[in-house]
Amino acid sequence: MITNRKRNEMIIMAIKHGIWRVTDDEVREVKNVTLDLEIELEKIIQSNPAILDDNWMIIGRQVMTEFNTYIDLLAIDNSGSIIIIELKKHKTSREVVAQGLDYASWIKSLSASQISAIYEAYIVRYSQKQNSLEDAYYEKFKIKLEEESINHSHQIVIVAAELDSSTERIVEYLSDSLIPINVIFFTVFEEESTKYISRAWMIDPQETLDNASTVVKDKEPWNGEYYVSFGDGISRSWSDALKYGFISGGGGEWYSRTLNQLSIGDRVWVNIPGVGYVGVGKVTDTAKKADEVFFEENGVEQNIYQLSNNASYYKEFLYGDDRVEFIVKVQWIKALPANEAISEIGFFGNQNTVCKPRASKWMHTINRLKGIWQIQ
């Protein structure tokens, strides 16, 4: 959790920062330039949303709402969360925040089919491709987009060169009140006719993502138990996890960082997307890089790379890359092979590696599994 003092320091850094060019002969500040940044940024973000987040895909531009207003950009992340991206342009700071909240009230009510229609209109207007949202999503994230995951939550992201201090306090208050809102500050620098764009978040993006997970249409209090999505395949093996007692995530910081929510003693319910629920267990250690976690076999302590040939566990990214696999040890209370997984209509599903579900179907899922597995 970011303290208010730390967050205020981040705000100052976001607004007042610079770039220096360092050579053997001198250190020279790169000139800060003024241009109609937001108008240019809309095009830049549309063509390369990674400038905001690697795990976002643009699905709409100038999206007309039922209030006859237009959302600058709409994106979806690799959990199905919808991101409203509003550029400050010529609006006042307070206007852009109010507008973002207004748009969120509309987005919240949209169905999966309506979100898909927004994407189809966007792709026809701005691209030569004719693929569906599901196909584009799989092409981008290499995971299947489940209908129940589409718009299960949303986020508001304001893009600006600066905001006044009063508006910053409003955004901070909303975030502290669990409204998933954030600001990205951009500054442009120029040297020898080459422009550089610097980006800084006002609030830790993970905090906004966590807040977004609380904004569900059928919200209930979190019951203290965690959902885990385990991607069984070439990158990690459920048979290994079943045998040695662990869950894991990797392939990018978005997939692994949610493992850090888990503490020793927490209970996790594990689902293999598209297959079903395969286990429930208690966490016995915190998240660590896969090569730093050891399991005993035949009296010898070894890591998963030494023990298994079933999956890669992103071994190629072990050194100096945020795509490395992280492992959390688990003592299984009940665990099954993948071919015995439990899957029923109405079960909770989510594409975050770990999350704190607040949807009503989460309690239904847990109570149903408790009955099937005869556990408390």
Side-chain angles (χ1 to χ4, degrees):
M1 177 67 69
I2 297 177
T3 66
N4 286 341
R5 190 170 72 85
K6 287 183 178 179
R7 184 179 294 157
N8 288 336
E9 290 171 359
M10 290 173 63
I11 293 170
I12 293 170
M13 290 174 62
I15 298 173
K16 299 178 181 179
H17 62 291
I19 295 176
W20 283 261
R21 180 179 181 181
V22 180
T23 66
D24 293 338
D25 300 325
E26 64 177 344
V27 176
R28 186 171 72 246
E29 186 174 7
V30 179
K31 182 175 63 174
N32 180 212
V33 296
T34 302
L35 73 163
D36 202 344
L37 179 61
E38 283 91 351
I39 292 175
E40 290 194 18
L41 272 176
E42 185 172 323
K43 296 177 182 178
I44 293 170
I45 294 168
Q46 178 192 355
S47 61
N48 185 19
I51 196 173
L52 301 183
D53 193 302
D54 287 337
N55 297 302
W56 292 0
M57 182 181 86
I58 301 299
I59 61 170
R61 180 178 178 187
Q62 293 301 311
V63 178
M64 184 174 166
T65 72
E66 65 179 10
F67 318 122
N68 293 320
T69 53
Y70 292 86
I71 301 173
D72 290 331
L73 291 164
L74 210 58
I76 190 170
D77 73 9
N78 51 4
S79 74
S81 182
I82 301 299
I83 302 101
I84 300 157
I85 303 168
E86 194 62 18
L87 289 83
K88 184 170 177 287
K89 294 182 179 175
H90 303 297
K91 298 182 280 287
T92 68
S93 296
R94 292 196 182 196
E95 282 175 343
V96 72
V97 171
Q99 205 163 48
L101 293 169
D102 192 27
Y103 294 157
S105 70
W106 177 68
I107 287 292
K108 183 180 180 180
S109 66
L110 297 185
S111 65
S113 60
Q114 288 172 307
I115 296 292
S116 294
I118 288 172
Y119 175 77
E120 289 165 10
Y122 166 74
I123 206 72
V124 167
R125 182 175 179 184
Y126 292 104
S127 173
Q128 299 299 317
K129 295 183 179 180
Q130 298 296 320
N131 54 347
S132 66
L133 175 59
E134 291 80 2
D135 290 342
Y137 189 91
Y138 186 83
E139 182 180 334
K140 166 70 175 175
F141 300 119
K142 300 299 184 286
I143 51 178
K144 182 180 178 182
L145 178 61
E146 303 290 347
E147 181 173 344
E148 65 179 14
S149 295
I150 301 175
N151 201 22
H152 67 90
S153 66
H154 60 267
Q155 305 169 50
I156 306 161
V157 174
I158 295 165
V159 176
E162 61 180 1
L163 294 178
D164 60 74
S165 59
S166 174
T167 305
E168 288 173 4
R169 290 194 298 271
I170 291 170
V171 171
E172 183 179 347
Y173 171 78
L174 291 169
S175 181
D176 287 343
S177 302
L178 303 183
I179 303 299
I181 187 169
N182 210 334
V183 180
I184 299 181
F185 296 104
F186 281 92
T187 306
V188 179
F189 301 87
E190 184 174 25
E191 184 179 53
E192 297 176 356
S193 301
T194 299
K195 291 185 176 66
Y196 303 91
I197 297 177
S198 172
R199 181 200 73 187
W201 290 88
M202 177 176 166
I203 299 166
D204 183 351
Q206 181 60 47
E207 185 175 341
T208 308
L209 187 61
D210 290 343
N211 288 345
S213 71
T214 73
V215 185
V216 292
K217 297 172 184 176
D218 53 350
K219 182 172 66 176
E220 290 187 353
W222 177 51
N223 70 337
E225 303 199 42
Y226 290 86
Y227 167 89
V228 172
S229 176
F230 190 96
D232 184 32
I234 61 173
S235 299
R236 67 190 58 81
S237 166
W238 172 247
S239 62
D240 288 342
L242 178 62
K243 179 178 180 180
Y244 298 113
F246 69 86
I247 56 174
S248 67
E253 186 182 4
W254 188 91
Y255 298 101
S256 59
R257 66 187 176 190
T258 56
L259 291 166
N260 293 319
Q261 298 179 70
L262 298 174
S263 301
I264 294 172
D266 288 335
R267 188 149 80 162
V268 295
W269 299 78
V270 183
N271 177 49
I272 299 175
V275 177
Y277 280 81
V278 287
V280 56
K282 283 197 172 183
V283 173
T284 60
D285 199 1
T286 54
K288 294 180 175 66
K289 286 177 60 179
D291 63 330
E292 299 173 354
V293 180
F294 294 90
F295 305 93
E296 183 177 338
E297 186 169 69
N298 299 323
V300 179
E301 295 277 334
Q302 294 179 292
N303 65 38
I304 197 64
Y305 300 111
Q306 298 166 315
L307 289 168
S308 175
N309 293 316
N310 294 327
S312 71
Y313 296 96
Y314 294 104
K315 186 176 183 179
E316 65 271 31
F317 302 125
L318 262 178
Y319 306 103
D321 196 298
D322 65 7
R323 288 173 285 183
V324 65
E325 189 85 358
F326 281 78
I327 284 178
V328 173
K329 280 188 169 184
V330 173
Q331 179 182 2
W332 296 122
I333 298 169
K334 180 74 175 181
L336 306 169
N339 61 1
E340 298 179 23
I342 307 297
S343 178
E344 294 183 358
I345 294 174
F347 270 12
F348 177 85
N350 190 284
Q351 287 160 254
N352 288 282
T353 304
V354 175
C355 71
K356 304 174 181 178
R358 292 172 172 85
S360 60
K361 63 172 60 178
W362 176 236
M363 286 307 301
H364 162 74
T365 302
I366 287 181
N367 289 335
R368 178 68 177 142
L369 289 173
K370 284 179 178 178
I372 294 171
W373 290 338
Q374 297 185 346
I375 59 175
Q376 295 299 313

